[in-house]
Amino acid sequence: MTDQAVQGEVGRARPRKEDARLITGQTNWTDNISVNGLLHMAILRSPMAHARIERIDVSPALERPGVIAAFSGSDLADGLGSLPCAWPVTEDIVLPDHPPIAVDEVRYAGDPVAVVVARDRYAAADALEAVEVDYEPLPPVLDLEAALADDSPLVHSDKGTNRCYVWPMKTGEDFDSVRQRADVTVKRRYHQQRLIPNAMEPRAVVVTPLAASGEYTLYSATQIPHILRVMMAVVTGIPEHKIRVVAPDVGGGFGSKLQVYGEEALALAVARRIGRPVKWTESRSEGYLATHHGRGMIQDVEIAANRDGKLLGLKVDLLTDMGAYLMLVTPGIPILGAFMYPAIYKMDSYDFTCTGVFTTRTPTDAYRGAGRPEATFAIERIMDELAAELGLDPVELRRRNWIGHEEFPYTSIAGLTYDSGNYEAATAKALELFDYDKLRAEQADRIEHGDTVRLGIGVSTYTEMCGLAPSRVLRDLRYAAGGWEAATIRMLPTGKVEVVTGTSPHGQGHVTCWSQIAADVLGVPFEDVEVVHGDTKAAPQGMDTYGSRSLVVGGTAVHHAAQKVVDKARKVAAHLLEASENDLEFTGGVFSVKGSPDARKTIQEVAFETFSSHDLPDGMEPTINAEHLIDPDNFSYPHGTHLCAVEVDTETGQTRIRSYVSVDDVGKVVNPMIVEGQVHGGIAQGIAQALYEEAVYDDEGNLVSGTMADYLVPSAPDLPDFVTERTETPATSNPLGVKGVGEAGTIASTPAVVNAIVDALRPLGVQDVRMPCTPERVWRAVQSGKEASA
């Protein structure tokens, strides 16, 4: 028995197993892959947001040095179907065709129009200049409200409308009646700007064909190898069993690699056409155009309450930007958020309507948090506005309305059953760490003395639905796939362990955490566990990684599979020890007979005995390997409280985050070090939305923030030190007691920062600052507030 087995692995701050390869350069990124005969693909993209393709001639590109082939959209059309949308959220949703490469019309700047294949990537890129394209410009569609007008130009003229869908939810008392009996109602409009994911690794694809058998291996920097395999079969017509998808080392995603992209289909189609391996890797500026964007919506929010601050109802009307096409889960992203606008609060009425709108911009889809950050932002911002209207401290208003810890499990007004939580404990700890009362006193002193640098305090309390599941709920939401997950445990003859998981990591630490979970259940050393993932041939079953589902669903599957191994091993051990199974104890990887501690077999010894099969119980197969597929009964619901203090210079608009405290409750923690990393990264991304990042288009639909020089991604010097702590209320929906953590920081941090800025400026008549809260926008808000007050 090892010391590690005695201590237990779950809960230990283990350094990640994955990191040794990463920091020594022994990684296998998709762009690192090189095979014999490899050709390079480059893609010509439309410079116009909306235009008809009058003529396209790729033949001049064929004359360039090193060029092997060139194709227009019509050249490849026969072998390519429409890219899939797996989440048609309403029965009457408008579902336009989405060709991987444009044939007749382009609908956003960046839409592919031609492909060049050459011996190296530079020759391919250079030859794009030779492709001749004549465009007839069409009017762009950019404004969400104007797009719904009867006289608006149409993104898809054959559909007769720019309205994609209308999705309503009304629960509890009618909101109009609630409004009539309320003492106070507050209405606000909030804008969720478009965000561009910036994963450390750009997207890349390599396709290697095996002509003799018609098989293809597709390597992709993807979060979803299993889903991608199914969808590539649908799009290209290649039988699914002839496609192998491998996600090698994947350098981040934040939702941007939860996608079935046209470039993957094009690489597969081109490799099939020419019979040679093909690689495509995006440039950064290309990725800004072609990788899907996040957020992008207008939120009209109204809240109703009594004079004492008791919430009565909430009304939310969304206009959400689909972009030019519906990608894999585009329509469903705001619907995920629909269930989270009521957040941690009790109320009598909830009225929600989401209208999806087509525009001639890059399509939107999942971005870290996927609908939940938008919801949390809206409710936490308007809670602050309501507190100001009522003259209440923002924390006190929340305290009067949140679900008490003794009320769990609690079914929210949106219909979700929160299984566990303690909002009081998380908030109390956050207030103590933040020194809330002292900061409020300093704030009042600055106001009294007319200080030009104002202190603002932002509060954000949140919960989220994560662990995307269960399948029956997803069915009811019209989502095409399920929410189950798979794991297999293989005990090798030498006593080592292989964990095969259907989740596909891209920086989360699955290898380390899955090793900890399996080591604890099996009682083997952490170092003896290897994790196999990201390859549809080696790990054929899975639903992949997104929505903070990996630990809650995938990790739980590993736990159950490991327990099945122990149960099988118990039968063999009982036979070998000539004892009843009921008389065996299993501790620290050792089976022993109760009352006879010397009669013992380690699980490793049982594995070898099973391999030799010399003395197994009659009728037993010679294996103790096991698999488990799990389909959870509920989501998981992490929660927490984030507090932010900012100093705002009213003369320059400059904002500085002075202190930031987060207390998150993610249930039981498998690896505290990994949790810390996820929280820090999430907070950084939420602050980025609040202060720095925005995808900006001009009046013609051109992306003017299309490079890292124009799109401000904060780095470490731009961010404050974070004080992070945890409370712990274990989930009751899984045996590990775990909840998700990957998106928590992003969900909570954006409203905390913006609430702090508005709190600093409220005495000057400011009620909102549109994100990102740049110095110019802050300064203009101050000037407008002063003018309104005058």
Side-chain angles (χ1 to χ4, degrees):
M1 191 184 307
T2 67
D3 290 340
Q4 292 153 348
V6 172
Q7 279 184 285
E9 284 293 337
V10 171
R12 296 184 68 185
R14 279 278 191 183
R16 300 196 325 166
K17 284 185 174 183
E18 300 91 323
D19 290 344
R21 290 187 306 105
L22 295 173
I23 63 178
T24 57
Q26 299 178 62
T27 48
N28 187 36
W29 312 113
T30 301
D31 191 49
N32 294 150
I33 295 170
S34 183
V35 294
N36 289 335
L38 181 67
L39 300 174
H40 294 263
M41 184 175 82
I43 298 172
L44 183 66
R45 300 184 181 277
S46 169
M48 308 186 73
H50 199 195
R52 191 170 290 112
I53 299 174
E54 294 288 289
R55 182 185 72 92
I56 183 165
D57 186 0
V58 299
S59 59
L62 294 171
E63 300 173 6
R64 293 294 184 98
V67 172
I68 302 298
F71 304 101
S72 66
S74 58
D75 295 332
L76 296 172
D78 288 343
L80 290 172
S82 179
L83 292 173
C85 173
W87 204 339
V89 294
T90 63
E91 189 173 345
D92 59 351
I93 188 172
V94 174
L95 285 170
D97 286 340
H98 184 183
I101 181 170
V103 177
D104 301 315
E105 194 171 311
V106 294
R107 293 182 170 89
Y108 67 97
D111 214 351
V113 296
V115 170
V116 172
V117 184
R119 298 187 189 280
D120 64 65
R121 68 178 59 183
Y122 307 107
D126 289 345
L128 292 178
E129 298 175 356
V131 177
E132 298 175 1
V133 188
D134 293 337
Y135 297 100
E136 179 191 342
L138 296 171
V141 179
L142 301 170
D143 182 273
L144 294 181
E145 292 178 301
L148 297 177
D150 291 339
D151 59 349
S152 172
L154 297 177
V155 180
H156 299 276
S157 57
D158 60 319
K159 300 302 181 184
T161 181
N162 290 320
R163 182 179 283 102
C164 176
Y165 68 87
V166 178
W167 192 94
M169 178 200 294
K170 295 185 180 183
T171 63
E173 188 179 344
D174 181 73
F175 186 80
D176 287 338
S177 64
V178 162
R179 183 192 287 122
Q180 289 176 7
R181 65 183 176 87
D183 296 320
V184 177
T185 60
V186 177
K187 293 182 182 180
R188 293 289 185 271
R189 168 168 281 199
Y190 301 122
H191 292 261
Q192 293 281 332
Q193 76 270 39
R194 276 178 167 249
L195 301 177
I196 300 176
N198 276 276
M200 191 170 289
E201 178 204 19
R203 289 188 296 122
V205 185
V206 173
V207 176
T208 60
L210 187 59
S213 59
E215 295 178 283
Y216 299 85
T217 298
L218 188 156
Y219 301 88
S220 180
T222 182
Q223 299 174 217
I224 53 167
H226 298 91
I227 294 172
L228 180 59
R229 182 192 190 205
V230 174
M231 294 305 185
M232 283 296 98
V234 172
V235 173
T236 65
I238 298 170
E240 183 184 349
H241 66 286
K242 296 290 187 180
I243 300 175
R244 174 189 179 190
V245 175
V246 181
D249 291 314
V250 178
F254 312 123
S256 70
K257 295 171 184 173
L258 165 58
Q259 194 54 265
V260 176
Y261 281 107
E263 293 86 357
E264 292 159 325
L266 288 172
L268 195 50
V270 168
R272 175 170 57 177
R273 177 73 70 92
I274 64 180
R276 295 270 298 274
V278 171
K279 177 189 285 188
W280 171 81
T281 302
E282 70 179 2
S283 67
R284 283 291 178 186
S285 56
E286 188 177 22
Y288 274 45
L289 287 172
T291 297
H292 74 240
H293 293 178
R295 314 288 193 253
M297 65 170 62
I298 298 170
Q299 302 169 307
D300 287 309
V301 187
E302 181 177 359
I303 198 165
N306 286 338
R307 179 61 57 189
D308 63 2
K310 181 183 182 299
L311 297 186
L312 298 178
L314 180 69
K315 181 174 173 59
V316 177
D317 290 301
L318 301 185
L319 286 179
T320 184
D321 189 351
M322 304 285 96
Y325 298 102
L326 302 183
M327 299 193 76
L328 189 65
V329 291
T330 301
I333 296 305
I335 306 309
L336 272 179
F339 297 92
M340 289 282 91
Y341 281 85
I344 67 173
Y345 306 117
K346 294 179 286 189
M347 60 189 72
D348 302 327
S349 172
Y350 177 47
D351 188 328
F352 174 92
T353 304
C354 177
T355 302
V357 183
F358 290 113
T359 64
T360 52
R361 287 188 280 239
T362 301
T364 59
D365 209 298
Y367 180 70
R368 194 173 192 170
R372 278 90 31 99
E374 298 93 307
T376 300
F377 181 87
I379 184 63
E380 290 303 288
R381 281 288 297 112
I382 204 158
M383 284 294 283
D384 262 33
E385 296 303 302
L386 178 60
E389 183 72 19
L390 294 170
L392 287 174
D393 181 274
V395 175
E396 177 58 29
L397 177 64
R398 288 163 171 82
R399 185 178 286 116
R400 294 183 186 186
N401 288 285
W402 64 40
I403 302 156
H405 69 275
E406 72 283 353
E407 298 180 81
F408 290 95
Y410 184 89
T411 300
S412 78
I413 189 71
L416 298 177
T417 299
Y418 302 166
D419 65 319
S420 67
N422 192 329
Y423 310 137
E424 304 98 303
T427 303
K429 181 174 280 192
L431 292 172
E432 180 183 358
L433 291 169
F434 193 64
D435 209 347
Y436 186 81
D437 292 338
K438 184 177 179 181
L439 284 169
R440 283 293 183 201
E442 180 185 341
Q443 179 186 48
D445 185 67
R446 290 196 187 199
I447 293 172
E448 183 180 352
H449 290 88
D451 198 329
T452 58
V453 177
R454 294 299 178 96
L455 179 64
I457 297 167
V459 182
S460 174
T461 52
Y462 79 97
T463 188
E464 58 160 321
M465 55 186 289
C466 60
L468 195 60
S471 296
R472 289 182 179 180
V473 173
L474 297 178
R475 173 203 63 195
D476 293 341
L477 293 173
R478 302 180 62 86
Y479 181 57
W484 56 267
E485 195 47 79
T488 299
I489 305 288
R490 297 198 288 248
M491 288 292 302
L492 305 181
T494 55
K496 309 304 181 186
V497 179
E498 287 181 334
V499 175
V500 182
T501 178
T503 63
S504 187
H506 44 284
Q508 294 90 341
H510 293 188
V511 171
T512 301
C513 291
W514 282 207
S515 296
Q516 290 178 273
I517 293 168
D520 262 9
V521 177
L522 300 172
V524 301
F526 170 80
E527 294 80 7
D528 286 355
V529 183
E530 190 66 33
V531 179
V532 179
H533 61 81
D535 183 337
T536 61
K537 190 170 184 178
Q541 297 185 99
M543 291 302 295
D544 304 318
T545 293
Y546 39 86
S548 296
R549 72 185 301 272
S550 290
L551 177 59
V552 175
V553 191
T556 300
V558 170
H559 170 87
H560 283 301
Q563 192 60 59
K564 285 183 176 180
V565 169
V566 173
D567 294 341
K568 284 187 174 183
R570 184 184 299 275
K571 296 181 183 295
V572 179
H575 177 77
L576 296 172
L577 294 170
E578 298 180 344
S580 166
E581 289 182 45
N582 295 331
D583 290 336
L584 290 189
E585 296 177 330
F586 182 69
T587 306
V590 177
F591 293 99
S592 60
V593 180
K594 295 175 184 177
S596 302
D598 291 338
R600 63 201 303 271
K601 287 284 183 182
T602 67
I603 197 168
Q604 292 94 334
E605 290 172 323
V606 173
F608 186 81
E609 292 283 357
T610 308
F611 167 71
S612 70
S613 300
H614 291 168
D615 188 13
L616 293 181
D618 291 342
M620 183 172 183
E621 294 177 336
T623 179
I624 57 172
N625 297 344
E627 72 173 11
H628 189 85
L629 279 79
I630 184 171
D631 196 344
D633 295 326
N634 197 1
F635 301 93
S636 74
Y637 299 96
H639 68 84
T641 298
H642 288 219
L643 300 171
C644 177
V646 300
E647 291 182 331
V648 182
D649 189 326
T650 58
E651 295 181 337
T652 66
Q654 186 67 40
T655 297
R656 182 181 76 88
I657 297 179
R658 183 166 123 177
S659 61
Y660 195 100
V661 169
S662 75
V663 176
D664 297 284
D665 192 322
V666 297
K668 289 285 187 181
V669 171
V670 174
N671 189 313
M673 186 181 298
I674 288 175
V675 168
E676 283 290 296
Q678 289 284 358
V679 170
H680 276 240
I683 293 172
Q685 249 169 317
I687 290 173
Q689 178 174 7
L691 296 180
Y692 300 109
E693 297 187 25
E694 182 177 23
V696 179
Y697 286 82
D698 66 16
D699 292 341
E700 299 301 315
N702 299 302
L703 182 67
V704 296
S705 55
T707 72
M708 282 190 164
D710 310 300
Y711 184 94
L712 185 54
V713 179
S715 60
D718 301 305
L719 299 168
D721 290 333
F722 308 133
V723 176
T724 58
E725 263 293 352
R726 293 187 300 277
T727 54
E728 184 179 296
T729 53
T732 62
S733 55
N734 64 78
L736 294 172
V738 296
K739 305 176 182 180
V741 70
E743 298 163 303
T746 304
I747 288 168
S749 55
T750 306
V753 174
V754 178
N755 275 343
I757 293 170
V758 175
D759 183 64
L761 303 178
R762 196 179 298 281
L764 302 176
V766 175
Q767 293 184 338
D768 191 31
V769 180
R770 185 167 169 174
M771 295 187 293
C773 302
T774 61
E776 180 183 354
R777 284 182 175 171
V778 170
W779 182 85
R780 290 188 181 280
V782 171
Q783 305 313 307
S784 297
K786 289 179 178 177
E787 290 172 7
S789 298

